[in-house]
């Protein structure tokens, strides 16, 4: 049964329906089928509908000579993501003085920029980067919170043809160093500190520790954000003000459509984080399409996604908003500080039309009760959610208490490698609780059984069978790993790593990850990354990490440690290791618990079996354990007390 049913008038006024009609379609399923039957036809229509400003027009839409794993889009076309997002509006006489960016800090400070004034600042940053010898193809890492300078930096980097890689502002030194070193960044831009729940978070101090393991970084630019504590600028450190002291750079670097724009790092189950490569034509067009056509974002609407630039939805906010000529809003700080209605206040104060949240955020706000929902929220038209699956109680609370049963919840899933969504809630169809009502246009998705065949009403692998604009152009300097991760199971089929199911009406539900990636409140971390850090402590001999279901976070991170023989299993040791991981990974990824065990379950060839750790811990069926060298340890794990479990 659908909870949200659009009227005929509502449907006919959406951008999606108007576009479908222009192309000769009035029924979504037929339109979607055409979008995946003829992908060149579809993505040509997409770029024309978005009005992409080409510097040199392309010869053909798609070339799959190297296979669908390595598609080339908009062949021989030249453009620049800066021009798609900001430059075209700064030069448009109608749009140049329209509001491009609103920012509010947790302390109440507000800054606003028009497309023109923001472009002026970006041009200064671009000139400063050139003076630092940042060239086309160089990588610049951004370890920054959600402040205007972050947007200026990423726009300036792309304007001069360099590549930016945003790093989550909540990461600890180990996670920062891993990503900066993997990208081989030449320059890092950071801030002295950021604000969170009334406290200053010293990002520059954390970066200094990380850079001890990043010898390829040549210089660091520092934005003085809070200015309450003097930050020592070391040798080769440059103040942001100095970067802005040069004559503005007005030239735009013409980029090939398939040249790298951005590296977004995502965690895998083994090895180092994966650097997904996104191009000047890929990420902006996919994000612009999903936000504009699918979520119905229009010129001079205001899009606010509560996120971080280090997660996929940060760049999505920028490109999804600006490709469509909308205003974007940034907020730096906690959504419930100083009071639980801070998020709702922001919506009313800045007339937010499109709000992006995660289910975890809504679950945390629910705990404060309904009394904080006193705002009108009259500007709000669409609420989008991503990051993890919903539980029905939280979905209903958002729909009924916040949206008054009138505002559609655009459930949205895809990811870093997708540059947007695979599934969503298109606004021309009814919406069911916690589900997705369609595969998005251009996304050839289905649920596969263990042989790769399509099936319905059963849980299986979410797969894609056609390329799409926005698809990652491999992993940074790891092409074999990219092929192994997504293309190695069945021929010419992208295995996304999610379990999914469709119902009799064609609605979708994501039931969980089909691999070991741990998703803590929308922040994905690979168990191998956690284990490597934990095992680096001198107390620990070996380590294991799993995610277990958590009603608030999606996954709770649980660690298992085999201590060195000389170390006793005490609460002091446990707290020391928890604090160590908090420092290395960042507080948001602090484990819920660490358990001390005598050994990790391993196969006879030495492979640690995380699946068995998780199943034993949660008292699930273990299956065949004949290959396990030390099965007794599974009984030991099963006896451990789980978070929230009462004593027997």
């Amino acid at each position: 049964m659908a909870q949200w049913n659009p009227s005929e008038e509502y449907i006919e006024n959406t951008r999606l329906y108007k576009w479908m009609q222009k192309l000769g379609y009035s029924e979504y399923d037929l339109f979607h089928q055409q979008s995946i039957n003829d992908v060149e036809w579809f993505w040509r229509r997409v770029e024309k509908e978005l009005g992409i400003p080409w510097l040199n027009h392309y010869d053909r839409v798609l070339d799959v000579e190297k296979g669908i794993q390595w598609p080339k889009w908009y062949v021989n076309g030249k453009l620049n993501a800066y021009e798609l997002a900001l430059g075209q509006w700064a030069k448009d006489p109608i749009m140049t003085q329209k509001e491009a960016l609103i920012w509010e800090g947790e302390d109440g400070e507000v800054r606003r920029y028009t497309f023109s004034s923001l472009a002026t600042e970006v041009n200064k940053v671009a000139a400063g980067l050139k003076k630092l010898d940042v060239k086309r193809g160089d990588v610049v890492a951004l370890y920054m919170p959600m402040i205007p300078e972050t947007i200026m930096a990423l726009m300036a980097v792309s304007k001069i043809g360099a590549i930016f890689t945003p790093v989550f502002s909540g990461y600890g030194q180990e996670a920062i160093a891993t990503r900066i070193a993997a990208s081989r960044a030449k320059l890092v831009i950071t801030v002295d500190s950021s604000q969170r729940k009334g406290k200053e978070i010293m990002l520059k101090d954390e970066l200094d520790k990380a850079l001890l393991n990043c010898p390829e970084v040549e210089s660091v630019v520092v934005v003085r954000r809070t200015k309450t504590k003097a930050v020592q600028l070391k040798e080769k450190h440059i103040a942001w003000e100095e970067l802005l002291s040069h004559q503005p750079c007005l030239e735009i670097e013409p980029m090939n459509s398939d040249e790298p724009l951005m590296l977004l790092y995502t965690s895998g189950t083994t090895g180092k984080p994966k650097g997904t490569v996104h191009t000047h034509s890929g990420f902006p067009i996919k994000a612009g399409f999903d936000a504009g056509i699918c979520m119905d974002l229009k010129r001079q609407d205001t899009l606010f996604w509560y996120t971080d630039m280090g997660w996929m939805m940060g760049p999505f906010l920028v490109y999804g908003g600006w490709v469509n000529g909308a205003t974007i809003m940034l907020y730096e700080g906690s959504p419930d500080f100083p009071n639980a209605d801070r998020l709702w206040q922001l919506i009313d104060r800045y007339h937010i039309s499109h709000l992006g949240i995660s289910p975890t955020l809504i679950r945390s706000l629910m705990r404060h009760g309904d009394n904080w929902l006193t705002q009108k929220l009259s500007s709000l038209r669409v609420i989008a959610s991503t990051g993890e699956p919903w539980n029905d109680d939280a979905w209903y609370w958002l729909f009924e208490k916040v949206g008054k049963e009138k505002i559609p919840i655009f459930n949205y899933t895809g990811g870093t490698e997708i540059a947007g969504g695979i599934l969503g809630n298109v606004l021309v169809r009814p919406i069911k609780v916690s589900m997705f009502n369609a595969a998005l246009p251009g996304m050839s998705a289905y649920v596969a059984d263990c042989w790769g065949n399509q099936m319905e009403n059963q849980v299986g692998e979410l797969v894609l069978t056609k390329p799409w604009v926005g698809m990652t152009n491999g992993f940074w300097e790891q092409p074999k790993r990219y092929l192994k991760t997504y293309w190695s199971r069945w021929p010419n089929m992208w295995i996304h790593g999610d379990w999914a199911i469709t119902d009799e009406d064609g609605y979708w539900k994501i039931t969980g990850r089909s691999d070991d990636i741990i998703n803590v409140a929308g922040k994905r971390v690979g168990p191998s990354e956690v284990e490597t850090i934990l095992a680096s402590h001198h107390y620990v001999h070996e380590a294991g990490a799993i995610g277990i279901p958590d009603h608030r976070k999606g996954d709770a991170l649980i660690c298992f440690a085999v201590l060195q023989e000389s170390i006793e299993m005490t609460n002091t040791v446990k707290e020391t290791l928890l604090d160590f991981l908090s420092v290395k990974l960042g507080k948001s990824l602090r484990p819920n618990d660490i358990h001390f065990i005598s050994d990790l379950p391993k196969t006879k060839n030495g492979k640690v079996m995380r699946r068995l750790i998780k199943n034993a811990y949660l008292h699930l069926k273990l299956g065949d354990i004949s290959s396990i060298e030390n099965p007794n340890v599974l009984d030991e794990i099963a006896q451990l007390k789980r978070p929230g479990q009462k004593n027997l």
Side-chain angles (χ1 to χ4, degrees):
M1 178 181 174
Q3 268 63 48
W4 180 80
N5 285 280
S7 66
E8 188 173 332
E9 180 183 8
Y10 183 99
I11 291 171
E12 290 175 353
N13 281 315
T14 63
R15 287 186 71 182
L16 176 57
Y17 185 82
K18 290 177 180 178
W19 186 51
M20 284 167 49
Q21 284 233 306
K22 191 189 331 184
L23 298 176
Y25 293 88
S26 58
E27 207 279 318
Y28 181 78
D29 288 340
L30 291 176
F31 173 69
H32 179 265
Q33 193 61 48
Q34 173 64 13
S35 78
I36 60 177
N37 285 346
D38 191 344
V39 293
E40 290 193 60
W41 169 87
F42 175 73
W43 290 106
R44 179 183 293 110
R45 297 307 187 277
V46 167
E47 71 88 2
K48 291 187 182 302
E49 183 66 16
L50 294 176
I52 300 303
W54 295 95
L55 303 175
N56 183 64
H57 207 271
Y58 55 89
D59 295 332
R60 56 181 299 195
V61 175
L62 175 63
D63 181 349
V64 289
E65 183 179 342
K66 294 183 178 179
I68 66 170
Q69 300 88 345
W70 302 103
K72 293 192 71 168
W73 292 99
Y74 305 115
V75 181
N76 295 327
K78 290 187 183 295
L79 73 171
N80 190 296
Y82 161 82
E83 189 69 4
L84 273 67
L86 181 58
Q88 65 166 325
W89 307 121
K91 293 181 290 190
D92 185 313
I94 297 175
M95 295 290 290
T96 183
Q97 295 304 320
K98 299 295 185 183
E99 201 155 52
L101 173 65
I102 305 167
W103 169 78
E104 181 171 306
E106 194 179 71
D107 59 0
E109 182 184 354
V110 177
R111 284 193 270 163
R112 296 174 182 261
Y113 297 85
T114 65
F115 285 105
S116 176
S117 64
L118 190 62
T120 298
E121 296 301 305
V122 170
N123 291 339
K124 294 177 186 177
V125 179
L129 292 174
K130 284 193 167 187
K131 288 291 184 180
L132 292 175
D133 197 34
V134 177
K135 301 184 294 295
R136 182 176 184 148
D138 287 341
V139 178
V140 177
L142 309 178
Y143 178 53
M144 305 178 76
M146 296 296 269
I147 58 176
E149 288 83 358
T150 307
I151 308 298
M152 295 173 194
L154 71 86
M155 283 289 132
V157 169
S158 63
K159 182 174 186 177
I160 66 173
I163 304 163
F164 68 90
T165 182
V167 179
F168 172 49
S169 64
Y171 273 146
Q173 63 191 60
E174 190 89 7
I176 300 165
T178 301
R179 286 153 178 81
I180 291 177
S183 71
R184 293 187 293 107
K186 180 177 184 176
L187 171 74
V188 182
I189 304 178
T190 190
V191 298
D192 51 2
S193 62
S194 182
Q195 297 179 338
R196 182 77 182 179
K197 289 191 178 293
K199 299 178 181 178
E200 286 191 33
I201 312 299
M202 304 306 294
L203 271 68
K204 174 64 166 50
D205 291 351
E206 204 68 25
L207 177 66
D208 285 343
K209 299 171 192 172
L211 291 182
L212 295 174
N213 295 310
C214 302
E216 293 192 35
V217 173
E218 296 179 6
S219 50
V220 178
V221 175
V222 183
V223 177
R224 297 187 185 276
R225 163 67 186 95
T226 50
K227 304 181 180 67
T228 58
K229 178 181 177 181
V231 172
Q232 184 68 36
L233 292 183
K234 302 179 182 179
E235 185 181 358
K236 296 184 179 179
H237 287 197
I238 300 105
W240 177 260
E241 292 79 8
E242 184 178 337
L243 199 71
L244 300 178
S245 64
H246 307 285
Q247 286 296 314
C249 170
L250 302 180
E251 299 81 18
I252 299 170
E253 189 73 20
M255 305 300 290
N256 296 325
S257 60
D258 61 348
E259 281 192 83
L261 162 71
M262 164 178 61
L263 307 180
L264 279 177
Y265 277 87
T266 182
S267 297
T269 56
T270 59
K272 295 180 180 179
K274 307 184 296 285
T276 60
V277 181
H278 290 290
T279 66
H280 278 258
S281 71
F283 195 99
I285 291 178
K286 172 62 172 167
F289 174 76
D290 284 7
I293 306 301
C294 298
M295 298 180 188
D296 206 43
L297 185 71
K298 302 169 184 175
R299 281 196 191 189
Q300 297 173 55
D301 280 344
T302 302
L303 173 63
F304 170 39
W305 211 293
Y306 183 75
T307 184
D308 186 274
M309 203 53 64
W311 304 125
M312 201 279 293
M313 299 315 298
F316 179 93
L317 165 65
V318 175
Y319 293 106
W322 282 350
V323 167
N324 290 288
T327 304
I328 64 171
M329 195 216 154
L330 304 183
Y331 171 64
E332 176 201 15
S334 174
D336 58 357
F337 185 87
N339 296 310
D341 61 350
R342 185 65 179 268
L343 184 70
W344 317 126
Q345 286 183 13
L346 293 171
I347 294 170
D348 269 6
R349 188 176 303 135
Y350 301 111
H351 309 292
I352 305 298
S353 62
H354 290 66
L355 171 69
I357 46 84
S358 68
T360 295
L361 173 57
I362 296 306
R363 286 191 287 267
S364 67
L365 294 176
M366 282 175 64
R367 297 169 59 195
H368 296 294
D370 304 344
N371 293 336
W372 290 102
L373 282 167
T374 59
Q375 289 72 26
K376 295 180 179 179
L377 308 182
S378 57
S379 62
L380 200 56
R381 294 207 325 269
V382 177
I383 301 173
S385 75
T386 192
E388 70 237 274
W390 280 99
N391 62 296
D392 290 356
D393 287 348
W395 191 97
Y396 275 118
W397 186 84
L398 179 64
F399 183 64
E400 295 173 352
K401 302 298 184 181
V402 178
K404 310 300 182 187
E405 301 187 9
K406 296 178 181 179
I407 299 173
I409 299 175
F410 194 104
N411 207 8
Y412 188 54
T413 189
T416 306
E417 311 88 333
I418 307 297
I422 300 172
L423 310 175
N425 278 332
V426 293
L427 302 178
V428 296
R429 299 186 68 184
I431 294 173
K432 292 184 181 182
V433 58
S434 302
M435 299 186 79
F436 307 89
N437 66 15
L440 295 179
M443 306 306 290
S444 181
Y446 67 77
V447 177
D449 63 18
C450 57
W451 297 281
N453 300 316
Q454 186 171 357
M455 63 179 182
E456 297 177 356
N457 300 315
Q458 295 182 59
V459 173
E461 288 275 7
L462 175 61
V463 301
L464 291 155
T465 60
K466 299 282 182 69
W468 64 95
V469 168
M471 173 179 149
T472 181
N473 192 13
F475 297 154
W476 185 243
E477 300 181 336
Q478 293 182 304
K480 291 182 179 178
R481 188 182 182 195
Y482 161 68
L483 293 174
K484 182 179 179 182
T485 301
Y486 294 112
W487 299 99
S488 60
R489 188 168 177 185
W490 297 307
N492 294 325
M493 194 176 293
W494 172 289
I495 312 301
H496 192 58
D498 279 336
W499 291 118
I501 187 171
T502 56
D503 68 11
E504 62 279 359
D505 299 321
Y507 284 66
W508 301 66
K509 192 172 185 67
I510 299 295
T511 61
R513 295 294 298 171
S514 60
D515 54 24
D516 284 335
I517 289 176
I518 301 164
N519 191 333
V520 181
K523 302 171 184 66
R524 296 171 65 186
V525 63
S528 178
E529 187 177 2
V530 178
E531 292 160 1
T532 299
I533 294 170
L534 181 54
S536 71
H537 195 282
H538 63 275
Y539 284 175
V540 179
H541 172 61
E542 282 186 304
I546 62 171
I548 68 169
D550 181 275
H551 75 281
R552 212 163 47 85
K553 297 180 181 179
D555 283 346
L557 176 58
I558 305 294
C559 293
F560 301 82
V562 181
L563 297 177
Q564 301 287 359
E565 290 184 2
S566 60
I567 305 301
E568 294 182 9
M569 300 181 186
T570 64
N571 284 332
T572 301
V573 169
K574 176 183 284 193
E575 287 302 315
T576 298
L577 294 176
L578 285 170
D579 290 342
F580 175 73
L581 282 172
S582 182
V583 168
K584 294 288 188 178
L585 289 168
K587 290 182 180 179
S588 61
L589 292 175
R590 180 186 174 94
N592 279 38
D593 207 351
I594 294 178
H595 296 289
F596 301 136
I597 54 179
S598 61
D599 201 359
L600 299 174
K602 300 170 186 171
T603 62
K604 292 180 172 65
N605 62 3
K607 181 181 178 181
V608 175
M609 297 298 290
R610 295 192 192 97
R611 174 183 63 83
L612 292 181
I613 296 175
K614 185 171 183 175
N615 286 7
Y617 189 65
L618 296 177
H619 296 176
L620 303 175
K621 291 182 179 180
L622 298 178
D624 183 8
I625 60 171
S626 59
S627 65
I628 301 302
E629 180 80 305
N630 49 351
N632 291 340
V633 75
L634 296 172
D635 294 329
E636 184 181 337
I637 293 171
Q639 299 302 314
L640 296 170
K641 183 181 176 183
R642 300 188 298 280
Q645 183 182 22
K646 296 180 180 179
N647 291 317
L648 298 176

